[in-house]
Amino acid sequence: MLKIYKKVESDIFKAHELIEYLVYEVWCKADNQRCKTKLNDELKKLVEEYDWFDEHVKNIYKISQGLTNAQKDNFKFAFTTNNRIEELCNRNVNPIPLNTLNKDLVDALILFFKELYTKVLGWKLIYKKYGLKKTYYDELILKNDFLLCPCCGFGDIKTYNQDGHSPFDHYLPLKHYPFSAINFNNLFPLCHTCNSSYKGEKDVLIGTKKIFYPFASTHPKIKVNVKMKKTSLGKLITKTTSINEKISDSDLKVSLAPNSDKVLSWDEIFGIKNRFFAKIADHRISWLDDVRAMYRKDHVHNYEKAFDEVITDDSNKYLGFLKVPYLKNLKSYSDRKSVV
């Protein structure tokens, strides 16, 4: 990720604690007593108010009554482990596969957790106590001052000035990690392209590589490096007029630093280098036009200075993190008059 989120203190994180209670104190302690005797006051109100919740809670409790103590312990351990989001990202712990649990239990849990996020957080009894997703979203975006996706750097995300909010991404996807359905340590706003077009439902913890945790306390400075092939220079500074002559990765290489597990995973999951390459290829002519325009200004009339001024002026603008390394590499060629 290019940037990570600074965490906002919010009661919405405590909503997950209600589900922890349901797992630890109700389902994992299922015995011959009625399910309702295990519920706390808040859970009792929910089963009385919402038939969907009542049906699932009772059904999973019934299945849990037939489990051995060892099977209940495995369930509790899997739920706990698969909610240790930062440790999972850092590979300090390994996720527990759902197929290691009782099949009937897993089938019932998937049905419950699949809809938990979309249903429960919108219930009045929940948002009156824990707050609205929109309120938390606005506070998070305001604190981090994000106008663009922190993962790719250019995708749109809604700001607190707009109605509604961009979707919260289940960073560890719900399909593989349903137990963290309303765990806001696992929920972050990302742009639609990062969230749906690239990451989607793929298991981001496949393999052994570490991945970025978007609420981490520290984050490396990501450097984008651009290297063009000298023999492709004419092609790169000329507008593409034929699909057969479009820029390829043999003409222009994009690399990322540091060369760490987390950066490699970020690229694999979100297709970062390919997307950065496409943005550079799409904007390269307009970026060179900016240098030409700077050269024509009264106080410049020097190509090297024109490059330097555009690089300085645009470093923090939209796509500046790609424009700057591209123009620096373009400037490095000694015969700059042939470039501009």
Side-chain angles (χ1 to χ4, degrees), residues 139-150:
E139 291 172 350
L140 186 65
I141 297 300
L142 178 62
K143 180 172 182 176
N144 288 276
D145 196 25
F146 288 161
L147 299 177
L148 298 167
C149 178

Side-chain angles (χ1 to χ4, degrees), residues 125-316:
L125 287 175
I126 294 296
Y127 69 71
K128 282 289 186 181
K129 181 172 182 179
Y130 301 108
L132 293 165
K133 285 187 289 183
K134 168 63 173 170
T135 302
Y136 168 65
Y137 178 93
D138 288 348
E139 291 172 350
L140 186 65
I141 297 300
L142 178 62
K143 180 172 182 176
N144 288 276
D145 196 25
F146 288 161
L147 299 177
L148 298 167
C149 178
C151 182
C152 66
F154 45 76
D156 286 335
I157 56 172
K158 287 189 175 182
T159 70
Y160 49 86
N161 291 313
Q162 296 171 277
D163 294 333
H165 59 80
S166 294
F168 284 95
D169 172 54
H170 283 88
Y171 193 56
L172 306 187
L174 197 59
K175 178 180 179 179
H176 305 284
Y177 305 96
F179 297 156
S180 58
I182 61 171
N183 182 348
F184 274 82
N185 289 307
N186 187 45
L187 288 159
F188 317 94
L190 298 179
C191 71
H192 175 78
T193 302
C194 283
N195 184 357
S196 300
S197 301
Y198 279 88
K199 188 177 74 65
E201 293 185 333
K202 70 176 69 166
D203 187 348
V204 296
L205 295 179
I206 285 290
T208 59
K209 287 200 289 286
K210 298 176 181 180
I211 63 174
F212 285 126
Y213 174 59
F215 275 142
S217 57
T218 61
H219 189 67
K221 182 174 178 59
I222 304 297
K223 183 178 180 182
V224 180
N225 298 306
V226 177
K227 183 68 176 175
M228 63 189 68
K229 189 164 68 174
K230 191 170 184 178
T231 55
S232 299
L233 187 59
K235 185 178 180 181
L236 287 163
I237 65 173
T238 306
K239 185 175 177 62
T240 302
T241 57
S242 168
I243 293 297
N244 294 329
E245 296 176 358
K246 69 178 183 178
I247 304 302
S248 71
D249 59 7
S250 65
D251 302 310
L252 186 73
K253 294 286 187 185
V254 176
S255 61
L256 305 168
N259 187 30
S260 65
D261 267 9
K262 292 182 179 182
V263 171
L264 292 172
S265 297
W266 172 49
D267 179 38
E268 289 173 4
I269 295 166
F270 297 102
I272 294 299
K273 284 192 293 189
N274 287 340
R275 293 164 70 192
F276 285 2
F277 166 86
K279 286 294 182 185
I280 294 170
D282 289 342
H283 290 270
R284 71 188 195 283
I285 301 301
S286 65
W287 291 346
L288 185 53
D289 285 342
D290 291 341
V291 175
R292 291 171 174 142
M294 183 64 73
Y295 171 82
R296 290 193 293 269
K297 285 190 175 182
D298 291 341
H299 70 285
V300 181
H301 286 296
N302 176 286
Y303 283 123
E304 186 165 333
K305 187 175 180 182
F307 269 103
D308 290 340
E309 293 213 13
V310 172
I311 287 168
T312 299
D313 291 349
D314 292 359
S315 61
N316 292 318

